[in-house]
Amino acid sequence: MDKIKRVDTPHGRVYVVEVDGEMRLYPSVTTILSSESQPWLEKLANEIGEEELAKISKRAVNRGTVMHAYLENYLVCMGYRGPGEGCLLYSQKKTLKDLLGVYDSDTMERGRNLFYDMLNSRLFAQIKKPLFSEKFLWSNEWGFAGTADFGYEDYEVLHSGKELVIGDFKSASSPRNDEQTKKYKKQLGAYAIAYEERTQKKVKRAEVWIAYPECIQEIILEGDSLESAKSEFIQLCQNYYKKWNKKPILEYLKSLESTKMNTHGSES
């Protein structure tokens, strides 16, 4: 069975995958996606400045991290107990315990409110049974890996065990337009490719749920649109490999192993 480990390096996030005793280095889905230019983001940077954009981006990332933590904890509980007040209480306690002191009160409040908006939306009601949360997925065929936010069985699958819905949570300050969601669609395509390769089961539908104040935006891919997203990500992945320089990453990983060995040696 393949084994996988995620590592954040100064040169981007990578996954180290062991396949039949062979160690392979795969770029992350998000790293591959970041290699593609985003005209709308470049335009915004020109308008408000790189420094201001960096501040906004950091606040958005922190807010989204808090929201994700609440959602992940709720889904984990829901998988065991089903939805309800018990899971809400578990998510609140666990998230506060994990993140208290990590983020300021305003960030915690904003992330929590987005969680409540997501939880109370019609979208959450269509989850019959969560199947996984924060799951490592990878493709040995195409050489990439990532972490999918969630997968679930909806009310149409009826425990067939043959297909599921896979999805990703996002947060935003306002609705995203078509240009801004292109990246999200390719991300879903990547997760669908990897899930189907790993499990030999079909992804029925892929979704992005974007929470912004008091509303949820939904993006759905299925049939031809999902297949198109898969193809677009594969093309982007292939282009990334043409330029990818593994050397500094391998040197960084080697230094980590060396530090680890020296630490263990000094302790003994």
Side-chain angles (χ1 to χ4, degrees):
M1 180 180 293
D2 296 353
K3 298 179 182 179
I4 185 169
K5 178 174 67 174
R6 183 174 64 192
V7 185
D8 288 316
T9 83
H11 314 285
R13 173 173 290 177
V14 296
Y15 290 77
V16 181
V17 183
E18 182 180 342
V19 183
D20 297 328
E22 174 192 358
M23 303 306 294
R24 301 183 184 180
L25 189 65
Y26 293 161
S28 73
V29 170
T30 51
T31 299
I32 293 172
L33 291 169
S34 297
S35 69
E36 188 173 39
S37 65
Q38 298 184 71
W40 71 272
L41 199 56
E42 294 169 2
K43 180 181 177 181
L44 182 59
N46 289 331
E47 291 175 351
I48 67 175
E50 294 281 355
E51 186 176 345
E52 183 62 26
L53 179 59
K55 291 179 182 178
I56 293 173
S57 298
K58 184 176 181 179
R59 288 196 296 268
V61 168
N62 290 345
R63 174 193 65 205
T65 299
V66 173
M67 180 193 76
H68 271 77
Y70 274 105
L71 288 165
E72 180 184 355
N73 289 326
Y74 188 92
L75 285 171
V76 168
C77 180
M78 184 180 174
Y80 286 101
R81 301 176 54 178
E85 291 297 320
C87 287
L88 180 57
L89 182 61
Y90 170 80
S91 179
Q92 291 170 331
K93 287 185 174 180
K94 181 74 166 55
T95 306
L96 285 175
K97 179 181 178 182
D98 293 343
L99 299 183
L100 190 62
V102 178
Y103 300 107
D104 60 78
S105 59
D106 182 66
T107 298
M108 291 293 294
E109 181 180 0
R110 289 175 184 272
R112 183 176 63 248
N113 288 341
L114 291 175
F115 159 67
Y116 289 145
D117 291 340
M118 194 79 79
L119 186 63
N120 294 325
S121 73
R122 63 172 181 80
L123 298 180
F124 223 90
Q126 69 193 25
I127 299 179
K128 182 177 182 181
K129 180 183 178 182
L131 298 177
F132 63 78
S133 176
E134 291 294 306
K135 184 178 182 65
F136 286 168
L137 295 173
W138 65 100
S139 169
N140 292 328
E141 179 178 2
W142 300 107
F144 68 83
T147 308
D149 281 351
F150 67 107
Y152 70 94
E153 182 181 79
D154 67 10
Y155 281 85
E156 295 178 358
V157 173
L158 298 176
H159 294 281
S160 69
K162 297 179 181 178
E163 55 186 12
L164 86 162
V165 181
I166 196 168
D168 201 68
F169 297 121
K170 303 290 185 186
S171 65
S173 56
S174 61
R176 306 284 86 177
N177 59 37
D178 289 342
E179 183 181 3
Q180 294 168 322
T181 60
K182 287 178 181 178
K183 182 177 178 180
Y184 300 161
K185 294 175 182 178
K186 291 174 186 175
Q187 184 176 12
L188 291 179
Y191 292 154
I193 290 168
Y195 182 85
E196 291 177 347
E197 181 182 320
R198 302 251 53 79
T199 67
Q200 305 303 307
K201 295 181 180 179
K202 188 69 176 174
V203 174
K204 169 189 175 183
R205 190 170 69 251
E207 304 173 337
V208 177
W209 298 357
I210 308 169
Y212 58 95
E214 300 181 354
C215 196
I216 307 297
Q217 181 181 359
E218 179 185 23
I219 298 170
I220 299 175
L221 299 178
E222 55 187 342
D224 291 343
S225 63
L226 180 55
E227 293 305 313
S228 178
K230 291 179 184 179
S231 297
E232 289 179 10
F233 181 80
I234 289 172
Q235 184 62 57
L236 183 61
C237 183
Q238 291 175 323
N239 291 338
Y240 184 82
Y241 263 93
K242 293 176 183 177
K243 302 177 182 179
W244 190 31
N245 180 13
K246 295 183 182 180
K247 185 176 179 180
I249 298 174
L250 292 171
E251 290 176 349
Y252 176 79
L253 295 176
K254 186 177 180 180
S255 70
L256 287 182
E257 286 299 317
S258 178
T259 302
K260 183 177 179 182
M261 290 177 64
N262 290 337
T263 302
H264 287 169
S266 63
E267 289 176 349
S268 61

